[in-house]
């Protein structure tokens, strides 16, 4: 009990010192906040970034088998505005403390229902929302500053990379938004402001019914302010997916002409590439 009290007092003193002198001196471990769009929502991540400074980190400064705040200072906090899955484990929308247990050949990642903590001094396993194992990856070059970043970000999948010293962890995230998006499209198509452009792109990219998307692609060209070479490109893409190569070539050819007239090199190239694809 005395040991816990000491730790709490030490943490309180550290917080007081940091807040008192924050305006006078830079923090030894800088704080970074990342806001990442994901699916139909966002992921917000806040953590502090310690440096190696010539030390042996994992297995020494951060012992194997001990809960780590996954950073410095306050525990790392991750917030999901929508439901996601991490390494196949479902995570409800909410804010969590991101802790970890380093290991030589396997780490444990922990999401705590108690995100507001200083370090891991008051961490309780009873507050765990989720914990799962992950294999570390060895880095050939030293990562001096502890770094977390989102990479390979797609509409429904992404990776969160954690890197420090000679160790990296890759966490795979996914989100299932298809039912929500389809419902939103169906609802919006019943209004006066029909989202032809967004709907056609979603249907095309997610292999939905192209027979449904084709009349939307035709209507896209009538939208105020829609460049004809953009509408032609998407209509041609839909036509090609339906198997109508002749129609796709005719539409994309019109797109090339319109793009050249507008001096738009990008859409001249894109429509030309589609023509070549349709002729194969």
């Amino acid at each position: 009990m005395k040991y816990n009290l000491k730790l709490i007092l030490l943490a309180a003193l550290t917080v007081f010192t940091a807040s008192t002198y924050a305006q006078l001196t830079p923090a030894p471990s800088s704080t970074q906040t990342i806001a990442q769009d994901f699916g139909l929502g966002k992921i917000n991540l806040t953590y502090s970034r310690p440096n190696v400074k010539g030390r042996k980190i994992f297995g020494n400064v951060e012992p194997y088998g001990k809960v780590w705040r996954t950073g410095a200072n306050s525990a790392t906090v991750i917030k999901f505005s929508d439901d996601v899955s991490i390494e196949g484990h479902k995570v409800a929308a909410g804010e969590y403390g991101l802790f970890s247990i380093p290991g030589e050949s396997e780490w444990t990642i922990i999401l705590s229902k108690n995100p507001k903590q200083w370090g891991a001094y008051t961490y309780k396993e009873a507050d765990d929302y989720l914990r799962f194992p992950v294999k570390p990856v060895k880095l050939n070059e030293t990562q001096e500053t502890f770094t977390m970043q989102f990479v390979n970000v797609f509409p429904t999948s992404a990776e969160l990379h954690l890197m420090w010293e000679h160790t990296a962890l890759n966490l795979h995230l996914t989100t299932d938004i298809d039912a929500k998006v389809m419902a939103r499209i169906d609802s919006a198509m019943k209004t006066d402001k029909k989202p032809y452009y967004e709907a056609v792109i979603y249907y095309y990219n997610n292999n939905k019914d192209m027979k449904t998307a084709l009349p939307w692609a035709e209507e896209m060209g009538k939208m105020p302010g829609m460049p004809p070479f953009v509408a032609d490109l998407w209509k041609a893409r839909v036509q090609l997916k339906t198997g109508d190569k002749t129609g796709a070539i005719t539409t994309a050819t019109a797109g090339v002409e319109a793009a050249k007239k507008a001096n738009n090199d990008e859409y001249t190239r894109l429509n030309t590439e589609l023509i070549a694809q349709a002729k194969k």
Side-chain angles (χ1 to χ4, degrees):
M1 190 69 177
K2 291 181 180 179
Y3 178 70
N4 288 338
L5 180 59
K6 276 185 176 182
L7 288 177
I8 293 171
L9 289 173
L10 175 61
L13 178 60
T14 306
V15 171
F16 171 77
T17 303
S19 62
T20 302
Y21 295 101
Q23 300 298 315
L24 299 178
T25 62
S29 298
S30 62
T31 299
Q32 183 177 58
T33 296
I34 303 171
Q36 176 63 58
D37 290 344
F38 188 52
L40 295 173
K42 285 185 180 293
I43 303 174
N44 288 281
L45 175 67
T46 300
Y47 71 108
S48 292
R49 310 181 66 194
N51 290 312
V52 174
K53 296 187 288 190
R55 303 171 295 173
K56 174 174 172 48
I57 301 300
F58 298 116
N60 185 32
V61 174
E62 301 300 340
Y64 292 138
K66 299 290 185 181
V67 176
W68 179 41
R69 71 190 86 182
T70 319
N73 303 325
S74 297
T76 294
V77 176
I78 189 165
K79 182 178 181 180
F80 305 99
S81 65
D82 282 345
D83 297 350
V84 302
S85 291
I86 305 178
E87 293 295 329
H89 304 279
K90 293 184 178 180
V91 178
E95 188 174 60
Y96 304 92
L98 177 56
F99 294 89
S100 55
I101 302 176
E104 197 164 4
S105 59
E106 184 176 89
W107 283 46
T108 298
I109 299 297
I110 302 168
L111 293 186
S112 171
K113 292 176 286 186
N114 180 10
K116 305 299 185 183
Q117 301 186 47
W118 181 264
Y121 303 116
T122 58
Y123 163 81
K124 295 178 182 178
E125 187 172 345
D127 292 331
D128 285 3
Y129 175 83
L130 172 69
R131 61 165 57 200
F132 57 88
V134 63
K135 296 292 184 183
V137 177
K138 184 174 177 58
L139 298 175
N140 294 325
E141 296 185 2
T142 301
Q143 179 72 41
E144 174 63 32
T145 304
F146 177 53
T147 298
M148 301 176 72
Q149 61 183 14
F150 293 97
V151 301
N152 301 325
V153 180
F154 295 93
T156 59
S157 66
E159 295 175 19
L160 175 58
H161 289 186
L162 295 75
M163 299 167 288
W164 198 23
E165 194 187 24
H166 293 291
T167 299
L169 301 175
N170 301 333
L171 306 182
H172 298 85
L173 294 84
T174 59
T175 183
D176 185 4
I177 62 172
D178 185 65
K180 287 183 179 180
V181 173
M182 292 295 284
R184 289 184 180 187
I185 291 174
D186 289 344
S187 178
M189 284 298 176
K190 297 173 183 177
T191 69
D192 293 335
K193 295 183 178 179
K194 295 177 172 54
Y196 294 123
Y197 180 72
E198 295 89 345
V200 167
I201 291 176
Y202 189 81
Y203 266 57
Y204 180 85
N205 287 335
N206 292 275
N207 297 315
K208 300 297 182 180
D209 183 9
M210 291 295 98
K211 291 182 179 179
T212 300
L214 184 56
W216 295 346
E218 292 170 346
E219 290 296 323
M220 188 193 302
K222 303 174 186 177
M223 294 173 64
M226 173 63 66
F229 45 83
V230 175
D232 286 337
L233 175 65
W234 282 104
K235 180 181 175 182
R237 283 175 170 172
V238 172
Q239 287 173 312
L240 187 57
K241 263 199 174 183
T242 65
D244 182 8
K245 291 186 176 183
T246 301
I249 291 170
T250 299
T251 303
T253 299
V256 170
E257 293 172 357
K260 285 182 176 179
K261 187 175 180 180
N263 294 317
N264 191 301
D265 293 336
E266 179 184 5
Y267 276 85
T268 299
R269 173 179 59 80
L270 290 172
N271 278 285
T272 300
E273 288 175 351
L274 192 139
I275 292 170
Q277 185 180 356
K279 288 182 176 179
K280 290 181 180 178

